[in-house]
């Protein structure tokens, strides 16, 4: 029996835009958001969870909407000094953001799990949806380049996605467990919504957590995804080179191919409607809609469209 809530699989910026729309059309309390933690990194002795923070700040209405991440009205005084001490000053941690990393690290030191800490941060910041890290254990995404492996955040921020991507590794993923409750939530959800997030290093990481993909496969009829690729390109970020490295076509068809074992409903952009028959050949129902979320109205409309399907 389906219960009256939605499970959302989310990365960072792309996911946050969609979720901002979603909380305008359904009660935030009805969302159980499973968030990628493969981008997590430890810098300056602090535990940083970029995707969890982006979703948290967005739902707390504290996010810098222009950038899509970090706090609004941020300052960088602490980072300026950190740069004199560390070589990892390329990570854009603002003063307010560092407060979250300090609080999270303090709670880790005191023995709390990532799931408990996420709940505590959300509560303090007034987030009403339930945010759940995909696992409590550490998983780190590494990008293989001609100059060796680098952490995904280093590839993304420091190297600006310039090195050629040879492969992608999720270090530690074999030994993790989904956070308690995730599998039951997927089984009992009214719908499972996959955000327009990076299919390889956001959604792909969640899918590699043991048992999550298998559970989604059993609930296929309830799984809806939005393509993060429009007209053969990512709206932002390195989805294209990462898909290429895995031998996928860089298009909504490539994303559908990657998700096809557990996906029944796929929303592609109006601009890609000509590709609908190719998606349907994969046994997936395709729907065309304006998926470029450039303002709140568009975010809300896209969310309403999926809820109504
Ligand atoms: P990140 O971890 O912060 O990079 O964020 P995500 O993984 O959630 O999102 C990155 C993906 O979101 C990219 O592949 C973008 O193409 C996609 N994306 C961002 N904005 C939009 C949008 O307005 N519409 C669609 N369809 N995709 C988007």
């Amino acid at each position: 029996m389906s219960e009256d809530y939605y499970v959302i699989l989310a990365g960072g910026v792309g996911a946050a835009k969609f979720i901002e729309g979603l909380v305008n059309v359904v009660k935030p309390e009805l969302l159980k958001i499973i968030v990628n933690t493969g981008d997590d990194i430890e810098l300056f002795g602090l535990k940083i969870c970029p995707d969890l923070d982006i979703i948290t700040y967005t739902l707390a209405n504290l996010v810098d909407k222009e950038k899509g991440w970090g706090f609004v009205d941020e300052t960088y005084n602490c980072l300026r000094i950190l740069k004199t001490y560390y070589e990892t000053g390329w990570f854009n941690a603002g003063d307010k953001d560092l407060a979250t990393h300090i609080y999270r690290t303090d709670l880790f030191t005191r023995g709390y799990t990532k799931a408990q800490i996420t709940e505590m941060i959300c509560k303090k910041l007034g987030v009403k949806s339930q945010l759940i890290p995909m696992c409590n254990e550490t998983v780190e995404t590494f990008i293989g380049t001609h100059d060796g492996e680098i952490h995904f955040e280093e590839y993304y921020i420091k190297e600006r996605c310039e090195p050629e991507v040879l492969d992608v590794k999720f270090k530690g993923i074999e030994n993790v467990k989904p956070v308690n409750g995730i599998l039951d939530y997927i089984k009992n959800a009214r719908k499972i919504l996959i955000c327009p997030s990076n299919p390889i290093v956001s959604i792909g990481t969640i899918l590699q957590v043991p048992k999550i993909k298998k559970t989604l496969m059993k609930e296929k009829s309830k799984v809806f995804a939005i393509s993060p690729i429009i007209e053969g390109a990512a709206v932002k970020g390195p989805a294209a080179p990462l898909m290429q490295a895995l031998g996928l076509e860089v298009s909504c068809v490539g994303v559908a191919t990657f998700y096809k074992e557990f996906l029944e409903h796929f929303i592609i952009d109006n601009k890609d409607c000509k590709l609908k028959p190719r998606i349907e050949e994969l046994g997936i129902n395709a729907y065309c809609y304006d998926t470029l979320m450039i303002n709140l109205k568009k975010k809300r409309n896209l969310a309403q469209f999926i809820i109504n399907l």
Side-chain angles (χ1 to χ4, degrees):
M1 256 282 280
S2 291
E3 290 183 27
D4 191 24
Y5 60 77
Y6 299 89
V7 162
I8 321 294
L9 303 195
V13 175
K17 284 187 187 172
F18 174 63
I19 293 169
E20 192 190 344
L22 210 47
V23 292
N24 274 270
V25 298
V26 297
K27 284 198 200 122
E29 292 85 349
L30 297 184
L31 306 186
K32 297 187 187 296
I33 308 169
I34 302 168
V35 184
N36 167 45
T37 56
D39 299 1
D40 292 7
I41 189 164
E42 191 166 325
L43 295 172
F44 326 118
L46 301 175
K47 308 260 192 199
I48 303 176
C49 302
D51 285 354
L52 277 168
D53 288 344
I54 289 168
I55 309 289
T56 305
Y57 300 162
T58 301
L59 289 174
N61 216 6
L62 295 169
V63 80
D64 180 329
K65 291 204 175 154
E66 200 93 324
K67 294 198 301 239
W69 52 268
F71 277 91
V72 67
D73 296 330
E74 186 58 289
T75 49
Y76 291 87
N77 296 311
C78 187
L79 186 66
R80 258 197 297 281
I81 308 300
L82 283 172
K83 280 182 182 174
T84 63
Y85 298 136
Y86 293 91
E87 283 174 0
T88 45
W90 48 262
F91 191 84
N92 299 309
D95 296 329
K96 298 182 193 177
D97 204 13
L98 280 163
T100 304
H101 310 326
I102 292 169
Y103 181 56
R104 174 184 290 120
T105 308
D106 179 28
L107 292 172
F108 266 118
T109 312
R110 292 199 253 153
Y112 291 98
T113 65
K114 199 175 279 185
Q116 289 169 330
I117 296 168
T118 303
E119 199 181 326
M120 288 156 95
I121 293 175
C122 285
K123 198 167 172 199
K124 298 262 185 203
L125 295 182
V127 173
K128 294 186 189 134
S129 304
Q130 188 182 355
L131 264 66
I132 315 166
M134 64 186 198
C135 60
N136 278 315
E137 303 83 350
T138 302
V139 175
E140 284 188 298
T141 304
F142 279 82
I143 303 296
T145 73
H146 289 292
D147 294 323
E149 280 182 354
I150 48 174
H151 191 286
F152 175 72
E153 290 296 329
E154 191 172 350
Y155 161 77
Y156 195 6
I157 302 171
K158 185 179 173 203
E159 301 296 337
R160 297 165 192 273
C161 308
E162 279 164 12
E164 188 186 341
V165 179
L166 303 180
D167 61 9
V168 182
K169 279 194 194 128
F170 304 116
K171 290 195 183 171
I173 198 95
E174 330 67 60
N175 303 318
V176 311
K177 289 197 293 287
V179 161
N180 261 346
I182 287 184
L183 302 179
D184 283 335
Y185 291 150
I186 293 175
K187 279 182 209 152
N188 299 323
R190 183 191 284 183
K191 280 181 183 172
I192 299 129
L193 311 179
I194 301 182
C195 293
S197 285
N198 190 309
I200 312 300
V201 294
S202 290
I203 305 303
T205 328
I206 301 175
L207 295 174
Q208 295 255 332
V209 173
K211 297 192 182 155
I212 290 193
K213 190 164 160 186
K214 280 212 170 108
T215 310
L216 287 170
M217 284 161 74
K218 289 191 193 136
E219 304 302 327
K220 196 173 176 184
S221 64
K222 296 192 296 192
V223 183
F224 295 71
I226 303 153
S227 176
I229 303 290
I230 303 176
E231 289 188 298
V235 177
K236 189 179 157 282
L242 294 171
M243 288 177 74
Q244 258 158 2
L246 267 68
L248 289 167
E249 176 182 317
V250 182
S251 72
C252 57
V253 180
V255 180
T257 308
F258 191 59
Y259 291 166
K260 72 171 183 220
E261 288 164 281
F262 55 84
L263 185 66
E264 189 140 325
H265 310 278
F266 196 39
I267 293 88
I268 60 174
D269 197 83
N270 284 334
K271 295 198 177 102
D272 285 325
C273 223
K274 56 188 174 302
L275 297 174
K276 196 174 169 203
R278 286 188 59 204
I279 306 236
E280 286 166 347
E281 268 168 38
L282 298 169
I284 298 169
N285 301 322
Y287 312 85
C288 302
Y289 201 76
D290 178 5
T291 70
L292 192 59
M293 298 173 281
I294 52 170
N295 55 41
L296 183 58
K297 185 162 178 263
K298 293 203 181 235
K299 293 173 191 172
R300 206 191 296 130
N301 288 348
L302 178 60
Q304 189 71 67
F305 178 71
I306 293 178
I307 294 299
N308 290 349
L309 276 178

